[in-house]
Amino acid sequence: MSSKVLNVAIVGLGTVGRGTYNVLNRNAQEIARRAGCEIQVKAVVVRNLITAQEFLQNSFQPTTDVDTVIADPNIDVVIEVMGGTTVAKQVVLKALSAGKHVVTANKALLALHGNELFETARKHGVALAFEAAVAGGIPIIKALREGLTANQVQWVAGIINGTTNFILSEMRSRGASFHEVLKEAQALGYAEADPTFDVEGIDAAHKATILASIAFGVPIQFDKAYVEGISQLQPEDIRYAEQLGYRIKLLGIAKRAARGIELRVHPTLVPTKRLIANVEGAMNAVMVRGDAVGTTLYYGKGAGSEPTASAVIADLVDLARLLSSGTKGSVPALAFQHDSLSSARILSIDEVQTCHYLRMRVADEPGVLADITRVLADGGISIDALFQKEAEDGQNQTDIIMLTHEALEGAVRSAIQRIEGLPTVLNKVILLRLEQLQD
Amino acid sequence: MSSKVLNVAIVGLGTVGRGTYNVLNRNAQEIARRAGCEIQVKAVVVRNLITAQEFLQNSFQPTTDVDTVIADPNIDVVIEVMGGTTVAKQVVLKALSAGKHVVTANKALLALHGNELFETARKHGVALAFEAAVAGGIPIIKALREGLTANQVQWVAGIINGTTNFILSEMRSRGASFHEVLKEAQALGYAEADPTFDVEGIDAAHKATILASIAFGVPIQFDKAYVEGISQLQPEDIRYAEQLGYRIKLLGIAKRAARGIELRVHPTLVPTKRLIANVEGAMNAVMVRGDAVGTTLYYGKGAGSEPTASAVIADLVDLARLLSSGTKGSVPALAFQHDSLSSARILSIDEVQTCHYLRMRVADEPGVLADITRVLADGGISIDALFQKEAEDGQNQTDIIMLTHEALEGAVRSAIQRIEGLPTVLNKVILLRLEQLQD
């Protein structure tokens, strides 16, 4: 870093790249007052020069040649906002190996290749910063990595995908089906043409994997995450949950349990009175419970051009402040010192201990409930709440809804198998999970 | 700092001092894994050795001699958790002058003497850290100072006093009077025997003053803050606000306006649908709106032994990480570089532009409303909502409640004076302020 300027290259000029460029320019003075130096964009690397030039007008000449930019000794930081996990991985590896600090917003890249990338950064004595990779503009990485360092983190639970939270909010408020709302979300630009990454929980799982790592000091282990999206969620379960005092949110959960770490993404019943249950639309919120601090919550926009840019630039200012004080970095990338990572095991979903919501379609006959509750009792599963709807006129079947006390999911699944074998149980049993997320 | 240990002295062994001692011991391993070194308590300074020894048992020998501790070359950091602003000021000044880093939880001290203390720290090249001074365990100082550095902060608004939020929550849920709930809060230990600092908004104003400084890069100016507590708040105004879709919270507000900075603490109507309106009991929450990130919110326990200790220790870990990487600090104490502070003026309350809630006790006669609305129109104050209660049986007076659009408070106060002069207006007009706090 030259004495009074941090020189950066933006690689990728999509939504986040443009936001970063715009905010760095608009708030240049305010940022310099905080950072103690100017942050100057020295290079913008793009695939398509024409559309980039339209955006940049005559203020800046973009390039397609990433290698030259990485090799340029005047560049201090490479900002990777191109997305994807193949070319992006090569670019980040090259930049780190060339001794450049890297700031990225790429959660998929970190979830899939984080261990290798952080190790490369460490070997070359540079930073790989990623505040923007989780929950957009909310400084949740900083909160976990620096703000809550006194604590044994007990759990982290977050709404970390805006698309699915928007869809769930609409499904609930209008009683609409998943597919109906998804179409509208696509028309509004809230969901992509291929929505799989969002609606099947994969994007949330990428982020939950990163949060688990910095909360508990374990390596990044995306392949061990349990991932269940919202595409199978039925409007009637949202309604029944509401009647029981719960709202259904797609949560990314990382929890310290007796025998390991739980890492899971799935639709979750949350008490309606909790703040997080009232986070609506495309907003994000992350709860963190620590043994000293108790429960904390962080809320804001989890995506979008300038909210994400806000996080990218926060990483740049951190770097500028450090470099100008003559050090290369003091906060370990994954919160814990690299030689102090824990080997705590990620548990399988069957080993997860939690409360469950069960819905069963049953024949409206004597003895049904006795049979079902017997199976549950045999499995050691105790019931916290139960209601059976009156059969509608002319129908001889109805729904039984129950909430269990905490139980091992493996035991619950075994019980469900037996229940589905009962002749009076007419459909597959709907299984959802419930978290109290106490204050 | 010796190679592998950060040596600290705890000065004061009250609630926060004990929490800090306990958490440092209980989570020693977890903290060392994050910090990269051990944090060891080398000295505990108290006034009363007997009660301190009862708490410390035989694990540690406390002392009353703060000067010797400050002079000890083996101490790296002095943790000031004694409270008060006279002796505490001397201790902090001495420690800084002796080249010790200081971590404090003392908002009153910083609000009253912060400029002098931060200047002393800078002169001696040491840190004066204060995450614990605002909103207890919520890492709001870090969020503002480091997490949101890309932004022009537009406003900060927070529930930053748990005692008053507890009282307001109880007043609302039970329709009880301030004095009734205060007594119970005192019995429960939520309010002090002399509750003035909390209920008159002074404690919140200390914290709002600090937040304003780091949000906008202005010096600490507690004497310019407008401070109004909740002791005059009537249950009927809480009820009327509820009917209009608002909840009343004691907010600390710092806002960038065209002609300066607003810095104010007062009961505030907030839309019931906002998350912050649903923060109940003794919990704290701070909203920050930045031009890039939009609105973010930070929620958690704002006081108490271990939540506050969580923030104190976060500051220690920050220091440990920095010192072990060979630098003394890179983040400016007040978020902006000390030579880049802004001279933006703190506005008087009359210059504040906001929406207002007005309640008037009036004679139930023709023409009353015409007279009142004429006065408001003459003052350029436009009405957003209005309702007049039916007079109760046998009564010939009633309440008029109205919400204004944004208006200069000076103009509203002049109008109130004229309204109070009308013969049909029977009591002093109740004036509260309203903030939309949009997402």
Side-chain angles (χ1 to χ4, degrees):
Chain A
M1 177 183 180
S2 73
S3 66
K4 278 286 158 203
V5 181
L6 186 77
N7 290 310
V8 306
I10 298 177
V11 181
L13 204 59
T15 309
V16 180
R18 290 174 184 216
T20 302
Y21 185 86
N22 284 338
V23 176
L24 277 175
N25 280 294
R26 185 176 75 232
N27 292 351
Q29 213 191 337
E30 190 94 346
I31 292 168
R33 282 177 63 210
R34 290 197 177 97
C37 72
E38 272 182 69
I39 298 179
Q40 273 183 13
V41 180
K42 277 286 175 197
V44 174
V45 182
V46 297
R47 272 184 310 194
N48 185 328
L49 285 174
I50 307 296
T51 56
Q53 275 157 343
E54 259 167 47
F55 170 76
L56 293 165
Q57 302 290 343
N58 293 322
S59 64
F60 207 91
Q61 186 53 46
T63 172
T64 57
D65 181 2
V66 72
D67 288 334
T68 304
V69 168
I70 288 175
D72 182 345
N74 292 316
I75 300 286
D76 303 302
V77 184
V78 171
I79 303 170
E80 185 278 300
V81 282
M82 58 198 300
T85 55
T86 48
V87 181
K89 185 184 174 193
Q90 294 317 312
V91 167
V92 171
L93 281 175
K94 272 190 210 170
L96 295 171
S97 303
K100 306 299 184 196
H101 304 284
V102 172
V103 172
T104 182
N106 195 330
K107 47 260 180 188
L109 178 64
L110 295 179
L112 299 181
H113 306 293
N115 296 324
E116 177 186 351
L117 297 175
F118 288 116
E119 179 57 24
T120 306
R122 210 180 57 76
K123 259 195 343 223
H124 290 89
V126 290
L128 171 54
F130 56 98
E131 181 65 73
V134 182
I138 307 169
I140 183 63
I141 301 297
K142 190 171 276 290
L144 269 171
R145 202 165 62 172
E146 304 173 38
L148 303 174
T149 43
N151 294 269
Q152 299 249 9
V153 175
Q154 295 165 328
W155 49 260
V156 180
I159 297 171
I160 45 183
N161 179 275
T163 304
T164 45
N165 201 56
F166 173 83
I167 292 173
L168 290 176
S169 295
E170 294 291 305
M171 285 177 72
R172 182 182 69 80
S173 66
R174 295 159 35 201
S177 77
F178 168 77
H179 290 286
E180 192 181 334
V181 176
L182 173 61
K183 266 187 209 153
E184 293 172 18
Q186 285 171 321
L188 288 166
Y190 283 117
E192 313 219 12
D194 176 356
T196 312
F197 253 52
D198 291 318
V199 303
E200 298 306 346
I202 301 162
D203 174 71
H206 287 153
K207 297 165 182 166
T209 300
I210 297 170
L211 291 175
S213 178
I214 62 172
F216 304 119
V218 295
I220 290 174
Q221 296 164 76
F222 174 67
D223 56 326
K224 304 274 173 52
Y226 173 80
V227 189
E228 180 182 320
I230 62 166
S231 61
Q232 303 305 312
L233 195 65
Q234 305 295 316
E236 50 262 56
D237 292 307
I238 295 177
R239 206 170 55 241
Y240 288 139
E242 200 81 3
Q243 288 169 19
L244 289 160
Y246 294 87
R247 217 157 264 182
I248 297 181
K249 294 292 181 186
L250 183 72
L251 293 188
I253 297 172
K255 192 185 248 175
R256 187 194 299 269
R259 292 169 307 160
I261 307 286
E262 300 177 6
L263 174 54
R264 47 195 170 99
V265 170
H266 50 66
T268 313
L269 280 77
V270 178
T272 305
K273 65 184 171 195
R274 297 277 179 263
L275 286 190
I276 200 168
N278 295 283
V279 170
E280 299 286 6
M283 301 301 283
N284 280 21
V286 181
M287 294 178 80
V288 182
R289 188 173 177 87
D291 67 338
V293 76
T295 302
T296 58
L297 176 143
Y298 309 84
Y299 165 88
K301 292 199 170 73
S305 179
E306 294 204 355
T308 311
S310 174
V312 167
I313 297 170
D315 281 341
L316 295 177
V317 173
D318 275 358
L319 273 168
R321 285 168 166 171
L322 278 171
L323 295 174
S324 63
S325 76
T327 178
K328 280 194 168 181
S330 61
V331 180
L334 293 179
F336 292 76
Q337 305 293 320
H338 78 279
D339 54 2
S340 297
L341 289 192
S342 151
S343 58
R345 187 168 66 86
I346 308 290
L347 301 175
S348 77
I349 189 68
D350 276 348
E351 296 171 289
V352 164
Q353 179 111 7
T354 187
C355 303
H356 295 80
Y357 162 103
L358 304 175
R359 173 163 65 88
M360 301 151 195
R361 191 74 184 160
V362 298
D364 190 17
E365 306 178 358
V368 174
L369 198 55
D371 291 344
I372 291 170
T373 53
R374 169 51 48 207
V375 172
L376 292 170
D378 288 349
I381 297 153
S382 91
I383 298 168
D384 181 39
L386 183 149
F387 74 90
Q388 175 174 342
K389 282 201 41 170
E390 250 183 307
E392 281 166 49
D393 285 347
Q395 294 251 356
N396 56 355
Q397 44 180 260
T398 187
D399 280 336
I400 292 174
I401 293 94
M402 55 178 75
L403 305 181
T404 74
H405 284 292
E406 279 209 355
L408 267 187
E409 178 143 339
V412 173
R413 286 176 183 253
S414 303
I416 286 176
Q417 258 189 346
R418 285 187 56 202
I419 289 171
E420 286 174 344
L422 294 172
T424 48
V425 173
L426 309 173
N427 277 340
K428 286 196 74 71
V429 174
I430 302 288
L431 164 70
L432 296 169
R433 297 160 198 90
L434 182 156
E435 298 288 337
Q436 288 297 337
L437 304 179
Q438 73 279 10
D439 266 339
Chain B
M1 177 182 179
S2 72
S3 65
K4 278 285 158 205
V5 181
L6 185 77
N7 290 310
V8 306
I10 298 177
V11 182
L13 204 58
T15 310
V16 180
R18 290 175 183 215
T20 303
Y21 185 87
N22 284 339
V23 175
L24 278 175
N25 280 295
R26 184 175 75 234
N27 291 350
Q29 212 191 339
E30 190 95 346
I31 292 168
R33 281 178 63 210
R34 288 196 177 99
C37 71
E38 273 183 69
I39 298 178
Q40 272 183 12
V41 179
K42 277 286 174 197
V44 175
V45 183
V46 298
R47 271 186 310 194
N48 185 328
L49 285 174
I50 307 296
T51 55
Q53 276 157 342
E54 261 167 45
F55 169 77
L56 294 165
Q57 302 291 343
N58 293 322
S59 63
F60 207 91
Q61 186 53 46
T63 171
T64 59
D65 182 3
V66 71
D67 288 334
T68 304
V69 168
I70 289 176
D72 182 347
N74 293 316
I75 300 284
D76 302 302
V77 185
V78 171
I79 303 170
E80 184 278 299
V81 281
M82 59 198 300
T85 56
T86 49
V87 182
K89 185 185 175 191
Q90 295 316 313
V91 167
V92 171
L93 281 175
K94 271 191 211 169
L96 295 171
S97 303
K100 307 297 184 197
H101 304 285
V102 171
V103 173
T104 181
N106 194 331
K107 47 262 181 186
L109 178 64
L110 295 179
L112 299 180
H113 306 294
N115 296 325
E116 179 186 351
L117 297 175
F118 288 117
E119 179 58 25
T120 306
R122 209 179 58 75
K123 259 195 343 224
H124 291 90
V126 290
L128 171 54
F130 57 98
E131 181 66 71
V134 181
I138 307 170
I140 183 64
I141 302 296
K142 189 171 278 288
L144 269 171
R145 203 163 62 172
E146 304 174 39
L148 302 174
T149 43
N151 293 269
Q152 298 250 7
V153 175
Q154 296 165 327
W155 48 260
V156 180
I159 296 171
I160 45 183
N161 179 274
T163 304
T164 45
N165 201 55
F166 174 83
I167 292 173
L168 290 176
S169 295
E170 293 292 305
M171 286 177 71
R172 183 181 69 81
S173 66
R174 295 159 37 199
S177 77
F178 168 77
H179 290 285
E180 193 181 332
V181 177
L182 173 62
K183 266 187 208 151
E184 292 172 18
Q186 286 171 321
L188 288 167
Y190 283 118
E192 313 218 13
D194 177 356
T196 312
F197 254 52
D198 290 319
V199 303
E200 298 306 347
I202 302 162
D203 174 71
H206 287 153
K207 296 165 182 166
T209 301
I210 297 169
L211 290 175
S213 179
I214 61 173
F216 303 119
V218 294
I220 290 174
Q221 296 164 76
F222 174 67
D223 56 326
K224 304 275 174 52
Y226 174 79
V227 190
E228 181 182 318
I230 62 166
S231 62
Q232 303 304 313
L233 195 65
Q234 305 295 317
E236 50 263 54
D237 293 307
I238 294 176
R239 206 171 56 240
Y240 288 139
E242 199 82 3
Q243 289 169 17
L244 290 160
Y246 294 87
R247 217 158 263 182
I248 298 181
K249 294 292 183 187
L250 184 72
L251 294 188
I253 297 172
K255 191 185 249 174
R256 187 194 299 267
R259 290 170 309 161
I261 306 286
E262 299 178 7
L263 174 54
R264 46 194 171 100
V265 171
H266 50 68
T268 312
L269 280 78
V270 178
T272 305
K273 65 184 171 194
R274 298 276 179 265
L275 284 191
I276 200 168
N278 295 283
V279 169
E280 299 285 5
M283 301 301 281
N284 280 20
V286 181
M287 294 178 81
V288 182
R289 187 171 179 88
D291 67 337
V293 75
T295 301
T296 57
L297 177 143
Y298 310 83
Y299 165 88
K301 292 200 171 72
S305 179
E306 294 203 354
T308 311
S310 173
V312 167
I313 297 169
D315 280 341
L316 295 177
V317 173
D318 275 358
L319 274 168
R321 286 168 166 172
L322 278 171
L323 295 173
S324 64
S325 76
T327 178
K328 280 192 166 182
S330 60
V331 180
L334 293 179
F336 292 77
Q337 304 293 319
H338 78 278
D339 55 2
S340 297
L341 289 193
S342 150
S343 57
R345 188 169 65 86
I346 307 289
L347 301 175
S348 77
I349 189 70
D350 277 348
E351 297 171 288
V352 164
Q353 180 112 5
T354 187
C355 303
H356 294 81
Y357 162 103
L358 304 175
R359 174 163 63 89
M360 301 153 195
R361 190 73 184 162
V362 299
D364 189 18
E365 312 181 349
V368 174
L369 198 54
D371 291 345
I372 291 170
T373 52
R374 169 51 48 206
V375 171
L376 291 169
D378 288 349
I381 298 152
S382 90
I383 298 168
D384 181 40
L386 183 149
F387 74 90
Q388 176 173 341
K389 283 201 35 170
E390 248 182 309
E392 281 166 47
D393 285 346
Q395 292 251 356
N396 57 356
Q397 44 179 261
T398 186
D399 280 335
I400 293 175
I401 293 96
M402 56 177 74
L403 305 181
T404 74
H405 284 293
E406 278 208 356
L408 267 188
E409 178 143 338
V412 173
R413 285 176 183 251
S414 302
I416 287 176
Q417 258 190 343
R418 285 186 56 200
I419 289 170
E420 285 174 346
L422 295 171
T424 48
V425 173
L426 308 172
N427 276 340
K428 288 196 76 70
V429 174
I430 303 288
L431 164 69
L432 296 169
R433 296 159 198 91
L434 182 156
E435 298 287 338
Q436 288 296 337
L437 305 178
Q438 72 280 10
D439 265 341

